[in-house]
Each structure stands twice: as structure tokens, then as C-alpha cells.
Amino acid sequence: MLVKIFGAAVQGIEATPITIEVNCSKGIKFMLVGLPDASVKESHERIISALQVNGYKFPRQQVVINMSPADIRKEGTAYDLPLAIGIMAASGSIEPNKLEDYIIMGELSLDGSILPIKGVLPIAIMTRTLGYKGIVLPSKNAREAAVVNNLDVYGVNNIKEVVGFFNEEAELEKTTVDTRAEFYNAQQSFEFDFSDVKGQENVKRALEVSAAGGHNLIMIGPPGAGKSMMAKRMPSILPPFSLQEALETTKIHSVAGKIGTETSLMSHRPFRSPHHTISDVALVGGGTYPQPGEISLAHNGVLFLDELPEFSRNALEVMRQPLEDRKISISRSRFSVEYPASFMLVSSMNPCPCGYYNHPEKECVCPNGAVQKYLNKISGPLLDRIDIHIEIVPVPFEKISDKTPAEASRLIRERVIMAREIQRERFKDEEGIHCNAQMTPKMLTKYASPDDEGLKLLKTAMDRFNLSARAYDRILKVSRTIADLDNSEKILLKHLAEAINYRNLDRETWADKK
């Protein structure tokens, strides 16, 4: 008997339908074809054990399975369940009538338990798009799939439940999630808040400007000045997710297997903080079978690189192109995938190897040339792509001991949202542009052109700091954001002056004393 079961393969952050054809005939062979990888081939042993433990028999016939289309590589253990159901249907143990209405995915344990899988959200979206009635998958993935409306989602714990469902011997409970209610209710709570930060008003202002325009930022200061503390609070002042952004970000985390079992849709912008020993492949994505890297997991959120000079030179350099294009293409000999990577880069570093260069109280003990050598670990092109450079000094005791609460993240966030609304209206006719940091050089002329006095100030700054053309563009973008925070249609001199001040840590003006 020949039957067809339907599953899915995830490529990048999109899913492709896979048709599993199972034929049982006379003989004793088992053949699995259609470009399966080793883990798919190993499913044979898991299926035999799962069926035997639960009182079912593996057919003593020739079983031929074809996974179509054969030019797409099938990988992972998520095909265990559809293969098992296909074998049982082809041997007559399951009625095949309802099989064509459902996508079936899941990993089998030896006792027949069904274990969670990766990439459920893109599979569920594909299921609805192609007009299937529903999806059968592990119960721990059910809430994630239930984000998709107008789709019957059935979470199962054991292969017996699946067999009973298709034989109409038992009913499965549909998983439903009130996506909008859960999404909006969870958006207002944050673990970290700027009300905990004492002093550092100039740094908080720089972070506000960065959040308002989506600008990359680097903080330079001695140990204990509060760089990491403030970076962790960055998501609390970013605008809330739109549903579309949340869906796109959740898809990436789903493919990477980073979604919790009780999570349906991500409600907070991601904050990724990889260790400085990370490899370039782990940072940008890749591998034999490409997976999203940290820059894609930070999509629509923040990528925080603490102690930036300690990262390998190669890892930092491979970020240059994604910072500009806001996506990363990973090519292999047989195929290529593209992951979105529109993230805000927030980074920090000490001013020198010992950490106390320019410290108001402690003396730097680094030898001559050490400060410049330390900064040289960050290439000029990468530094140019960071819009805002801000220097941090330690907080004095009077500020630390002050009992007066600092400004809360909620108040800063309101100003950021207002500035983003201005930008949304400005760029409503510009495809793919949502904030000032994404403006092209052509758009700068249209939206961020200074007057004659402003041009004079910019020329003086360019000559003094020996800035590049890219740095010139960054200054205009940041000044446009500062003007938006000021609710000003025109870019004034004070806006330009503040933006120029955020470039005062360029390499040509740093480390003059060492």
C-alpha cells in the first residue's frame, strides 16, 4: 500500500513542504531515499523501538520511503514521527483518510514519547499558507505554533495519541493562544530599569539618542564605571515590538531552538551578549548546515559586545558588511541561506590595557604606545560604522549615595517612541527604512541637510578630527535624531554640535598622551 505523509524542511527562516511517500510491498528490505542525512537514517531504529514498546508491530515487509523533493537535504530528528505514521499507514495499522490534511513533525524517543523540535513557527506559517487544515507536533512546541491564526494545532506527548487521532479512536485537544492579549500584556515589564543608574546623565542621554534613531554606540571608560549596567537596560527604552517585528524575531529564535516551551510570541526585543571568545561563525552564523548567529538572534534588538578589543579581529571584521546591509548571506557549495540582521550594536571597552587611562583619580600604568595599540585592535572601518562614541567617567560617591531616584526607563521610552513616530511618518514611503540610522546617503540630502552655518561647523569638525566620509554621514544621521527628540523639523547648530561631540573618541584624537 502506498501512502503520503506531509512534513517540512526549514531553510533559513522559511519552511518548505516535504512529501514523505511510504510503500509497503513483498520483501524484507528497508530503504530510505530522498537525500536524508545521518540523523534521519537513524530514525529507523528509534521507530522500531517506539512501535514495539507501545504494542505496535513494525511491518515484516519491504518498506520503501521517498522524501520529496529529493534535491533538498533533510536533516534532524524531526522526521521521526511522520516516518513512523507513514509506515503504520502503509502497513494498514492507521487509516490514511485524514493524513493529507495535516503536517506532522516530531522526534521520537525509544519509548514512543514525542520530543520538541526546532523551527516550529516557520513550519506553522507554511502550513497555513499552503491551506492544510492543521499541524500535529510535540506538545512542548504547541504554544509556539498556536501563534498562527486559523490553524488547528494539536500537541501530542506519545505516538499512541497520534495513532488514536488518525484512527478516530480518540480526540486531541486543540492548543489556542490569545496572541495579542499575551503579547501586549508582557511588553511593559522589564528586569532592568534606568532608575537604578545614579549619575551618568551624559551617557544616558547618548543611550536615549541611540535608541531613538537605532544608532550603533560604543562606551569607553574604566572598570566599574557602569558600562555593562547601562547596556543591559537598553531594551527597556527601545520602542515596543510591533506584531510583525515580534513574528520575524520569533521565527529566527525558533529556527535556532531558543524558544522556551511556554513561549508563544516574543514580547521583548532581544538582548544578546556573547563572550569575547566567540568565533566568527558563531557570531554571524554558518556551519556545515547553516544556523543563525548572534547577529541574527539580535535582529530587531541589541547586540552587546563587552570589552570590544578582546574579540578576535576576524570576528569583528566579518560584522562590517551586516552592519551596513542589515542581513547576512551564508553560502555553501550546494545552497545558500539569508538571515536578517538588523540589530543595534552597543559595545564597551576600557580606554587602555590597565583600564585607567584618563581616570580622574587612578594613574594609568601602561607603557608608551600601549593605549594606541589597544585601540588599534578595532579597525577604522568598524569604528566608522559606530555612530556614537561616548566616554564614561566613574560616578563620584555623592552620586552613588544619593537616595533620589533617577529618571525611570518608562519616561525615557516615551520620548524615544515619540521620535520613532516622527521617523515612521517621514519614511512611510521609503521601503525598508524605519529609523534614521538606516538612511541612505541620498536620503541624507533630502531629510538631514544642514544650513550654511551647519556646514561650516561640520567642515571645522572634519578637519580637526580628520573624519572620514562615513563619519560625516553618521554625524548627519545622529543630528537628525537629536532634532527629532527636540521635535524640530530643521537641524539646528546645537543638534549638530551634540552629534559632533559623539565622535570625539575617533582614533585620531584619542591616546595623544601615550
Side-chain angles (χ1 to χ4, degrees):
M1 184 176 178
L2 174 65
V3 298
K4 291 185 179 182
I5 307 290
F6 299 97
V10 178
Q11 295 180 302
I13 59 170
E14 304 298 332
T16 305
I18 299 295
T19 302
I20 301 171
E21 302 169 312
V22 185
N23 185 30
C24 282
S25 58
K26 289 183 179 181
I28 55 171
K29 280 188 177 181
F30 178 86
M31 288 179 282
L32 178 59
V33 297
L35 207 61
D37 73 351
S39 59
V40 179
K41 292 176 182 177
E42 289 171 353
S43 65
H44 178 227
E45 315 304 326
R46 291 191 292 272
I47 291 169
I48 290 175
S49 175
L51 295 183
Q52 288 177 345
V53 169
N54 287 278
Y56 305 116
K57 290 184 179 181
F58 192 89
R60 294 184 178 181
Q61 296 171 288
Q62 177 170 286
V63 179
V64 180
I65 303 174
N66 178 45
M67 305 180 76
S68 174
D71 61 338
I72 296 177
R73 187 170 183 83
K74 292 55 172 205
E75 55 190 60
T77 55
Y79 297 104
D80 290 359
L81 183 58
L83 289 173
I85 297 300
I87 291 169
M88 293 183 72
S91 63
S93 299
I94 291 179
E95 290 295 325
N97 303 333
K98 293 165 60 177
L99 293 176
E100 63 182 16
D101 295 331
Y102 295 90
I103 293 287
I104 306 171
M105 297 295 284
E107 177 186 341
L108 277 177
S109 179
L110 293 182
D111 64 357
S113 301
I114 300 174
L115 306 177
I117 60 173
K118 296 180 181 179
V120 164
L121 184 54
I123 293 172
I125 293 171
M126 180 214 73
T127 302
R128 186 186 66 180
T129 303
L130 295 181
Y132 289 91
K133 184 179 179 181
I135 183 171
V136 178
L137 74 173
S139 58
K140 290 186 177 179
N141 294 125
R143 283 180 56 80
E144 184 183 336
V147 167
V148 181
N149 298 325
N150 304 319
L151 183 69
D152 293 345
V153 177
Y154 296 106
V156 290
N157 294 300
N158 191 280
I159 193 170
K160 279 186 175 181
E161 298 176 21
V162 186
V163 175
F165 174 70
F166 285 111
N167 281 336
E168 298 186 346
E169 297 168 352
E171 286 294 321
L172 291 177
E173 185 179 348
K174 291 182 187 177
T175 302
T176 56
V177 173
D178 189 343
T179 306
R180 291 179 179 272
E182 288 192 8
F183 176 67
Y184 291 117
N185 288 339
Q187 281 193 329
Q188 305 305 319
S189 59
F190 291 94
E191 184 180 357
F192 303 108
D193 195 282
F194 269 101
S195 59
D196 304 326
V197 181
K198 301 296 177 68
Q200 304 292 18
E201 300 304 325
N202 63 323
V203 184
K204 285 192 276 189
R205 167 65 178 178
L207 290 169
E208 180 181 337
V209 173
S210 175
H215 302 289
N216 301 323
L217 173 141
I218 184 169
M219 296 176 280
I220 304 184
K227 304 186 292 295
S228 301
M229 180 187 186
M230 285 184 279
K232 288 178 182 177
R233 283 153 178 76
M234 195 70 177
S236 68
I237 63 171
L238 288 173
F241 262 147
S242 66
L243 272 171
Q244 182 59 37
E245 286 178 324
L247 189 64
E248 190 177 35
T249 306
T250 306
K251 280 170 69 177
I252 299 169
H253 285 249
S254 174
V255 170
K258 304 290 185 183
I259 296 292
T261 56
E262 295 303 316
T263 303
S264 54
L265 197 64
M266 292 177 65
S267 55
H268 290 154
R269 293 184 180 272
F271 178 84
R272 305 295 299 181
S273 180
H275 193 261
H276 63 257
T277 56
I278 190 171
S279 68
D280 52 335
V281 172
L283 189 62
V284 301
T288 307
Y289 308 116
Q291 289 286 299
E294 289 291 336
I295 63 171
S296 294
L297 293 171
H299 180 61
N300 289 326
V302 176
L303 177 68
F304 177 50
L305 302 184
D306 199 7
E307 301 302 337
L308 191 64
E310 302 302 329
F311 284 77
S312 75
R313 179 89 174 198
N314 196 43
L316 295 179
E317 293 308 299
V318 294
M319 282 204 312
R320 282 160 51 177
Q321 180 255 339
L323 279 169
E324 290 290 323
D325 298 342
R326 299 187 178 273
K327 60 184 179 182
I328 179 71
S329 297
I330 302 166
S331 299
R332 295 294 178 264
S333 57
R334 287 174 178 256
F335 62 95
S336 64
V337 296
E338 185 175 281
Y339 292 113
S342 181
F343 60 93
M344 271 182 59
L345 175 63
V346 177
S347 53
S348 70
M349 62 176 286
N350 291 332
C352 65
C354 80
Y356 296 107
Y357 177 63
N358 271 357
H359 194 282
E361 297 174 0
K362 297 186 179 181
E363 186 178 350
C364 174
V365 296
C366 298
N368 289 337
V371 177
Q372 187 64 60
K373 184 178 179 182
Y374 189 68
L375 189 65
N376 282 343
K377 291 183 177 181
I378 308 169
S379 69
L382 179 62
L383 204 60
D384 271 350
R385 286 171 170 82
I386 299 176
D387 304 358
I388 297 175
H389 310 164
I390 186 72
E391 188 174 4
I392 299 181
V393 294
V395 181
F397 175 78
E398 292 74 17
K399 288 281 186 182
I400 297 175
S401 58
D402 189 1
K403 302 293 184 183
T404 307
E407 187 177 29
S409 292
R410 176 179 53 82
L411 301 175
I412 303 174
R413 195 186 201 193
E414 288 173 3
R415 297 195 294 269
V416 169
I417 291 173
M418 182 205 72
R420 285 288 183 107
E421 281 297 314
I422 293 172
Q423 293 164 54
R424 187 180 62 82
E425 183 64 25
R426 177 184 300 134
F427 302 128
K428 64 182 179 181
D429 298 325
E430 307 284 353
E431 187 177 352
I433 307 295
H434 307 290
C435 59
N436 290 331
Q438 298 172 345
M439 283 193 290
T440 62
K442 186 177 180 180
M443 294 169 66
L444 286 174
T445 306
K446 184 178 180 181
Y447 299 118
S449 186
D451 56 19
D452 292 339
E453 288 189 10
L455 285 172
K456 287 181 183 177
L457 180 63
L458 273 172
K459 183 180 184 303
T460 304
M462 294 285 288
D463 293 340
R464 179 181 174 188
F465 297 128
N466 193 20
L467 300 177
S468 67
R470 187 180 280 112
Y472 172 82
D473 287 352
R474 304 292 178 188
I475 290 172
L476 290 182
K477 290 178 183 180
V478 173
S479 61
R480 178 66 269 170
T481 300
I482 296 169
D484 290 342
L485 282 168
D486 215 9
N487 203 14
S488 171
E489 187 176 339
K490 293 183 178 180
I491 296 177
L492 306 178
L493 275 179
K494 63 177 182 178
H495 304 144
L496 278 169
E498 184 177 351
I500 291 168
N501 190 51
Y502 292 140
R503 302 298 303 186
N504 65 357
L505 299 181
D506 275 322
R507 56 173 58 247
E508 288 80 5
T509 61
W510 186 254
D512 291 337
K513 298 178 184 178
K514 288 279 185 181

